[in-house]
Amino acid sequence: MRILITGGAGFIGSHLAEELLRRGEEVYVIDNLSTGRLENIKHLAANPRFHITIETILEEKLMEDLASKCEVIFHLAAAVGVRLIIEKPVDTIETNILGTEIVLRAANKFKRKVILTSTSEVYGKNSKVPFREDDDSVYGPTTKSRWSYACSKAIDEFLSLAYFHEKKLPIVVARLFNTIGPRQTGRYGMVVPSFVQQALLGHPITVYGDGKQSRSFTYVSDVVSALIGLSEHPKAVGEVFNVGNGREITIGQLAMLIRKMSNSKSKIVYIPYEKAFEKGFEDMKRRVPDIAKLNHLIGYKPRVSLETSIERIIANYRE
Ligand code: UDP
């Protein structure tokens, strides 16, 4: 089958491309290398079933051409990372909303299945955990730019579901929780690669806030298998799924775990949010997925533990 991955040179996209090639698929990637890197896919370049276009998904004609060729589209191209969102709010909103609009319009022309990757950010600051797919989204005011990311991805979800209901376009929404693994960069503020790098260099490990906020981390291969499973299951169409791992850890504990696992002597320092981000920055206190829906439909269970994930990420950095 011919499969298109938007954002296929990114961290998750490149792992997805690799797995689809391994399964014998023909893989087309479009990526503008904004946060993606050629480095991520250089090992795939020699494969005759791998095709890459370095362009933005905002090029409508090009997207139509790719959609005409490919039967399934994994839409991963998006502005990601809290830091990027605060630094470049216009780009974030435009890439996420306009980009998805163009991808869906092109897909609809040829009635191609679209797997939209969304984010656990859409739950916003809802404090009820674990999050179930039909729980409320709770956002802060529009004057706090951090919420623009959540809102932009929520609009992507609304639009995808609207295409499904109104135009019978087969879409699946996958809400990814914090995903980690080799090739993820700390450059956009993601916590695990940042901590690993700091620990290995002996630099202070920077915990934002009081470190009592928690997250649950999923290894990238678990995310990739969930995305492929969802793309193959007819009953996933028109539905929203959490993709994650139920184990919760506070960021303070994470810092200690990473320091220990990398045999580091780094100090753990606590930095107020307003210094790390902007004045009045609001973080999500907890973020844990309920993965029952995904489990019931495709038998999904996360296979890689947090410790194994960190071990592999450390090994990858050391290389
Ligand atoms: N974080 C931190 N130090 C860092 C980077 C992030 O303490 O150097 C915190 C951040 O404030 C958040 C958590 O780690 O509470 C996860 O951050 P990340 O940006 O990885 O993901 P998200 O905020 O989207 O869950």
Side-chain angles (χ1 to χ4, degrees):
M1 198 160 43
R2 285 200 290 247
I3 297 177
L4 173 63
I5 307 174
T6 73
F11 157 52
I12 301 174
S14 65
H15 284 277
L16 177 63
E18 195 173 313
E19 177 58 17
L20 290 169
L21 287 169
R22 200 188 63 76
R23 295 182 185 208
E25 313 290 4
E26 182 108 19
V27 175
Y28 287 75
V29 159
I30 177 164
D31 200 302
N32 68 350
L33 303 181
S34 54
T35 55
R37 288 178 301 172
L38 281 178
E39 177 79 10
N40 289 344
I41 45 169
K42 68 169 196 286
H43 61 299
L44 308 176
N47 191 317
R49 284 182 284 107
F50 182 74
H51 315 273
I52 171 126
T53 308
I54 308 294
E55 237 328 330
T56 159
I57 54 169
L58 302 177
E59 288 294 330
E60 196 151 4
K61 279 274 160 296
L62 177 62
M63 278 313 300
E64 279 178 12
D65 178 48
L66 289 166
S68 75
K69 281 194 198 125
C70 300
E71 287 127 279
V72 175
I73 302 171
F74 287 91
H75 178 36
L76 278 78
V80 289
V82 175
R83 186 162 300 286
L84 192 68
I85 274 109
I86 287 170
E87 282 166 10
K88 297 188 133 189
V90 174
D91 272 5
T92 301
I93 299 171
E94 285 187 354
T95 308
N96 290 357
I97 297 182
L98 212 58
T100 299
E101 202 178 312
I102 288 169
V103 168
L104 288 170
R105 226 184 286 149
N108 190 49
K109 234 181 162 168
F110 307 94
K111 289 286 180 252
R112 302 307 196 193
K113 187 183 261 193
V114 178
I115 319 305
L116 174 92
T117 52
S118 183
T119 162
S120 54
E121 274 272 325
V122 296
Y123 292 105
K125 51 182 172 178
N126 190 341
S127 56
K128 171 202 163 283
V129 292
F131 295 139
R132 249 179 52 156
E133 287 83 352
D134 51 2
D135 282 335
D136 288 342
S137 299
V138 183
Y139 301 144
T142 52
T143 42
K144 290 187 177 164
S145 67
R146 157 220 246 262
W147 301 115
S148 69
Y149 177 57
C151 283
S152 70
K153 294 301 284 189
I155 288 288
D156 288 353
E157 292 196 14
F158 276 126
L159 193 59
S160 306
L161 291 163
Y163 264 95
F164 168 70
H165 289 295
E166 199 180 314
K167 302 183 189 289
K168 308 288 172 264
L169 182 71
I171 62 95
V172 183
V173 175
R175 279 188 194 150
L176 309 192
F177 283 66
N178 297 63
T179 305
I180 54 171
R183 292 184 213 145
Q184 184 179 36
T185 154
R187 214 177 317 150
Y188 308 106
M190 276 73 169
V191 67
V192 170
S194 301
F195 282 5
V196 166
Q197 200 173 1
Q198 290 166 341
L200 291 180
L201 294 172
H203 295 170
I205 299 177
T206 54
V207 173
Y208 300 155
D210 62 7
K212 293 201 174 101
Q213 74 274 31
S214 70
R215 294 294 185 268
S216 53
F217 297 92
T218 318
Y219 193 66
V220 65
S221 61
D222 283 327
V223 171
V224 163
S225 66
L227 290 176
I228 296 174
L230 286 174
S231 76
E232 290 172 343
H233 203 296
K235 289 209 171 119
V237 170
E239 297 284 334
V240 178
F241 295 87
N242 286 335
V243 175
N245 182 323
R247 172 165 165 202
E248 184 179 13
I249 184 168
T250 69
I251 299 303
Q253 288 167 334
L254 178 75
M256 287 192 284
L257 180 64
I258 290 178
R259 183 175 62 174
K260 183 163 154 239
M261 289 187 64
S262 45
N263 293 319
S264 165
K265 294 198 167 58
S266 288
K267 271 199 292 202
I268 296 178
V269 296
Y270 291 80
I271 298 176
Y273 284 119
E274 11 202 280
K275 267 213 180 129
F277 296 104
E278 61 181 356
K279 201 164 174 288
F281 179 84
E282 285 182 86
D283 197 7
M284 288 169 77
K285 196 78 191 126
R286 296 173 73 187
R287 191 190 268 172
V288 187
D290 180 331
I291 49 176
K293 187 175 176 186
L294 184 64
N295 175 261
H296 287 151
L297 190 74
I298 64 168
Y300 167 88
K301 275 201 187 89
R303 297 191 185 285
V304 185
S305 71
L306 180 60
E307 284 75 9
T308 305
S309 308
I310 292 173
E311 224 170 78
R312 291 183 190 169
I313 295 164
I314 291 172
N316 181 256
Y317 260 96
R318 286 209 164 114
E319 263 173 36

